Amino acid sequence: MTRCSTACAMALLAMTGVAVASELAPGNGHSVHLGLFDGAVYYTVEKDGYRVVATLASGTEAQPIRFVSTLGPGERLMISVPQAIGQPSADFEIIREGEILHVQEPSGNLIDSVATSAVLKE
């Protein structure tokens, strides 16, 4: 089970490629690099908001961890990995502004502006 989950996360990571995409459609993956952890993040449009899923692992044999959150307009999700004593944490943040999802890497640089024309159904 662990190998299957890790393999799926790594396959999703591989499909995203190394180039930074300027836009990401719902369901497409984006690679994540957070300290010793690598993985992928994607979102789907649901009735109650954008369902964001981030899966991270510290290697192909490691047990992956998954973060799931549904974001409404103006909401954000932060994943933080502590570093060595005295070093700042590595923070990965996903921010929803209207119909746009911004993804920020630990460096604080905006790496993706994720837009969708999908309409939320009531």
Side-chain angles (χ1 to χ4, degrees):
M1 179 68 172
T2 299
R3 280 191 167 158
C4 180
S5 296
T6 302
C8 289
M10 293 306 159
L12 183 58
L13 176 62
M15 290 188 313
T16 62
V18 293
V20 176
S22 61
E23 291 188 16
L24 182 68
N28 287 355
H30 173 76
S31 61
V32 176
H33 307 288
L34 197 59
L36 298 175
F37 295 89
D38 291 313
V41 61
Y42 71 92
Y43 78 102
T44 57
V45 178
E46 306 294 333
K47 285 188 215 181
D48 55 346
Y50 291 0
R51 183 175 182 263
V52 178
V53 179
T55 304
L56 303 169
S58 60
T60 57
E61 297 298 319
Q63 175 76 30
I65 54 175
R66 181 169 293 136
F67 302 86
V68 179
S69 182
T70 301
L71 301 180
E75 294 184 329
R76 59 184 60 213
L77 166 67
M78 180 182 289
I79 301 170
S80 182
V81 176
Q83 301 299 306
I85 295 174
Q87 298 295 315
S89 62
D91 299 334
F92 180 81
E93 190 169 30
I94 302 166
I95 305 162
R96 179 168 174 201
E97 295 177 349
E99 292 186 1
I100 299 173
L101 215 58
H102 297 285
V103 181
Q104 292 181 329
E105 291 279 353
S107 65
N109 295 329
L110 187 65
I111 57 167
D112 260 335
S113 178
V114 183
T116 180
S117 60
V119 177
L120 296 176
K121 295 180 182 177
E122 294 186 6

